[in-house]
């Protein structure tokens, strides 16, 4: 949040890009999208691209809506996006809601957008493993941020455990310095209650292998990599009907979409899986098919490279 430092780093990056003289630049995450695009333009890079992997905290309302501070920050970010994206030849998005919001805010014209979908996963690395059916085990993998719906997950787990004490709930993820972060004390309260297991920030694959259903009650995403990994492994999914999350679930086919900030809706779908474990298997199989269709990283990379090399102008214009 230091504009002078951002300006200085933009000039440093411009100088470095002039030294390297690349043909193409691709910036992703908010500061590289904004300041990296400006630096690339100043350095004379002929083909400049930016990828929006999600609009994030600033564009996600809190429980009481947008606070005065967040509204002011959102206006600033929209203005910076407008300046930065004007310097890019094309903007790549992971979901259609993000591009529609920025187009509506007059940040960029629709013809400049390209919809990539998720960034994809290696389907060999995330190979199918049979889901665990006894005990039924739910997992949430995310940074410990309130906007990931972690408090809703814990609230749902508390209710479910009263009726089904054998069911496991795993929370995988590390602490974060983000303004919307959950503290270690918060998590340890849930652990001491016996509601959640929290291994912290650790390798995902061994823990995912122990699970039945993946849960992500997030308030907004790009297209979450954690969900892509889960469906590649053949896990049914419960997630929220919000931008980014809804791209990973065909409701009623490979999982369920639930309203945001609604622990009771999570409870209802969790109980459905507990009482009908055959759904865990059938929806998990549907998840793997969805991963093969949409989220194979090799297919995604071909599309991305094609965009960067200018091979999909017609598709871009119609996205």
């Amino acid at each position: 949040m230091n504009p002078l430092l951002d300006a200085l780093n933009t000039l440093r990056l411009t100088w470095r890009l002039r030294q390297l003289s690349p043909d193409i630049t691709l910036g992703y995450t908010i500061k590289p999208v904004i300041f990296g695009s400006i630096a690339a333009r100043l350095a004379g890079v002929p083909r400049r691209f930016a990828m929006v992997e999600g609009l994030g905290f600033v564009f996600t309302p809190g429980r009481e809506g947008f606070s005065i501070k967040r509204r002011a920050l959102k206006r600033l970010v929209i203005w910076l996006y407008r300046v930065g994206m004007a310097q890019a030849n094309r903007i790549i998005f992971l979901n259609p809601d993000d591009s529609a919001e920025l187009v509506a805010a007059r940040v960029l014209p629709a013809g400049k957008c390209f919809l990539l979908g998720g960034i994809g996963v290696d389907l060999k690395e995330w190979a199918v493993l049979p889901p665990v059916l006894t005990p039924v085990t739910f997992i949430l993998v995310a940074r410990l941020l309130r906007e990931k719906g972690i408090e809703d997950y814990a609230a749902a787990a508390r209710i479910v455990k009263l009726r089904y004490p054998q069911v496991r709930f795993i929370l995988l993820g590390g602490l974060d310095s983000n303004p919307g972060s959950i503290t270690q004390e918060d998590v340890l309260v849930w652990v001491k209650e016996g509601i959640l297991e929290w291994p912290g920030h650790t390798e995902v694959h061994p823990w995912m292998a122990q699970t039945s259903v993946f849960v992500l009650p997030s308030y907004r995403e790009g297209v979450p990599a954690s969900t892509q990994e889960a469906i590649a492994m053949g896990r049914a999914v419960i997630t929220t009907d919000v931008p980014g999350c809804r791209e990973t679930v065909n409701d009623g086919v490979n999982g369920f979409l639930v309203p945001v900030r609604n622990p009771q809706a999570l409870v209802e779908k969790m109980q459905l899986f507990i009482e009908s474990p055959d759904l865990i298997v059938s929806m998990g199989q549907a998840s793997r098919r969805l991963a093969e269709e949409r989220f194979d990283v090799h297919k995604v990379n071909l599309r991305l490279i094609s965009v960067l090399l200018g091979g999909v102008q017609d598709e871009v214009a119609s996205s």
Side-chain angles (χ1 to χ4, degrees):
M1 297 294 289
N2 186 328
L4 294 178
L5 184 59
D6 287 334
L8 178 60
N9 286 333
T10 301
L11 293 176
R12 287 172 173 164
L13 183 56
T14 301
W15 176 80
R16 186 65 175 141
L17 288 171
R18 283 176 178 166
Q19 283 188 314
L20 294 169
S21 190
D23 298 303
I24 300 171
T25 56
L26 171 63
Y28 57 94
T29 74
I30 182 168
K31 286 200 174 186
V33 165
I34 296 168
F35 302 111
S37 298
I38 293 170
R41 179 68 178 269
L42 292 174
V45 178
R47 295 184 62 78
R48 304 172 301 279
F49 296 85
M51 181 187 292
V52 177
E53 294 193 76
L55 294 181
F57 171 79
V58 173
F59 289 82
T60 306
R63 290 190 179 276
E64 307 301 324
F66 286 99
S67 65
I68 294 174
K69 180 179 178 180
R70 198 176 299 197
R71 283 200 299 268
L73 188 57
K74 183 179 178 181
R75 288 195 204 99
L76 173 61
V77 169
I78 285 175
W79 179 79
L80 287 171
Y81 265 144
R82 188 175 291 125
V83 173
M85 290 180 176
Q87 317 311 317
N89 301 105
R90 190 147 296 143
I91 313 298
I92 300 162
F93 291 89
L94 301 189
N95 71 66
D97 296 279
D98 289 351
S99 58
E101 182 160 350
L102 293 186
V103 168
R106 299 183 180 180
V107 171
L108 75 166
K112 208 170 184 178
C113 302
F114 178 78
L115 182 61
L116 181 67
I119 57 174
V121 295
D122 188 330
L123 298 182
K124 291 183 179 178
E125 179 181 351
W126 295 91
V128 176
L129 286 176
V132 172
L133 301 181
T134 306
V136 173
T137 302
F138 298 93
I139 187 170
L140 191 164
V141 180
R143 291 181 297 154
L144 297 188
L145 304 176
R146 286 184 170 80
E147 66 193 64
K148 299 295 183 181
I150 293 171
E151 291 170 316
D152 300 324
Y153 179 67
R158 181 181 287 112
I159 296 169
V160 171
K161 290 282 261 186
L162 290 175
R163 185 172 180 185
Y164 307 96
Q166 76 281 6
V167 172
R168 295 176 66 197
F169 290 89
I170 300 170
L171 172 63
L172 213 62
L175 301 169
D176 200 281
S177 59
N178 187 287
S181 63
I182 288 173
T183 67
Q184 181 171 320
E185 289 72 22
D186 293 330
V187 182
L188 291 179
V189 167
W190 298 326
V191 173
K192 290 176 181 176
E193 280 187 67
I195 296 170
L196 302 180
E197 300 172 40
W198 180 50
H201 179 70
T202 186
E203 188 178 353
V204 174
H205 199 285
W207 286 93
M208 192 78 76
Q210 302 178 37
T211 64
S212 316
V213 178
F214 181 83
V215 184
L216 183 62
S218 179
Y219 302 165
R220 185 171 193 142
E221 295 285 335
V223 174
S226 58
T227 313
Q228 294 175 65
E229 292 165 355
I231 65 175
M233 287 188 72
R235 295 297 179 265
V237 175
I238 303 172
T239 194
T240 38
D241 189 9
V242 298
C245 290
R246 64 171 68 105
E247 313 306 313
T248 62
V249 168
N250 292 325
D251 192 34
V253 178
N254 74 306
F256 297 106
L257 296 173
V258 298
V260 70
R261 298 185 179 90
N262 192 327
Q264 188 57 47
L266 289 174
V267 169
E268 291 171 6
K269 299 308 180 186
M270 288 172 175
Q271 289 184 158
L272 186 57
F273 281 118
I274 294 166
E275 295 172 2
S276 304
D278 55 305
L279 287 177
I280 295 172
V281 176
S282 61
M283 287 189 166
Q285 292 169 345
S287 278
R288 177 64 185 197
R289 290 194 294 271
L290 181 65
E292 292 171 352
E293 292 168 9
R294 295 187 191 174
F295 301 122
D296 181 341
V297 72
H298 300 293
K299 294 178 182 178
V300 174
N301 284 349
L302 286 175
R303 281 171 51 79
L304 179 57
I305 291 169
S306 185
V307 175
L308 298 180
L309 297 181
V312 289
Q313 288 93 336
D314 294 338
E315 185 176 354
V316 171
S318 63
S319 295

